[in-house]
Amino acid sequence: MILVRQEIGDVLRDFRLQKGRTLRQVASKASVALGYLSEVERGQKEASSEILASVAEALDVPISIIMREVGDRISVLEGIQVFPDVVPDDLMASVESELSLH
C-alpha cells in the first residue's frame, strides 16, 4: 500500500537536504516542533495543509512543487508513466528544423 504521508515526508526531507538545512533550522523557521517535523519526514505523522505550507515556506519551495514531486513519486509507485513537463531539446530542435523547411 502506498502511504501518501511517507511520500510527503520523503519529498520534504529531500528538499531540506538539497537546501543544506538542518531539521532544527526548518522546524524553527516553520514554527513547528522539531520532533513533529522529524515524524512528518519519517512518514509517521500526517501533516496538515497549514503545516505543509509553513514547511514549504521555510524551505523556500512553492507548495505546488512539493505536491507535484509527491504526485510524480506516487505515479512511479503505481506504475504510471510520468511525462515530462517540457519538450526535450533534441525533439524541439527537430521540430523547429522541420518548421523552418516549410
Side-chain angles (χ1 to χ4, degrees):
M1 175 190 331
I2 297 169
L3 292 176
V4 175
R5 71 173 184 256
Q6 184 69 53
E7 297 309 314
I8 289 172
D10 289 347
V11 168
L12 292 176
R13 183 184 312 104
D14 289 349
F15 276 115
R16 179 176 60 78
L17 294 174
Q18 285 172 20
K19 299 279 186 169
R21 298 194 185 140
T22 66
L23 195 60
R24 184 176 305 281
Q25 288 170 326
V26 174
S28 175
K29 190 170 181 186
S31 300
V32 175
L34 176 65
Y36 183 77
L37 183 55
S38 175
E39 289 178 313
V40 168
E41 280 194 0
R42 288 181 280 138
Q44 295 176 334
K45 294 282 185 184
E46 297 270 356
S48 68
S49 57
E50 291 86 357
I51 296 290
L52 288 175
S54 292
V55 173
E57 188 175 321
L59 291 169
D60 300 315
V61 177
I63 190 77
S64 60
I65 300 297
I66 290 171
M67 297 312 289
R68 170 170 265 160
E69 180 66 23
V70 169
D72 287 350
R73 289 179 185 217
I74 291 172
S75 293
V76 170
L77 292 172
E78 291 176 331
I80 297 171
Q81 178 71 35
V82 177
F83 296 99
D85 291 335
V86 295
V87 177
D89 290 338
D90 56 341
L91 178 59
M92 193 64 182
S94 69
V95 168
E96 286 173 344
S97 66
E98 281 290 319
L99 291 174
S100 67
L101 293 175
H102 296 114

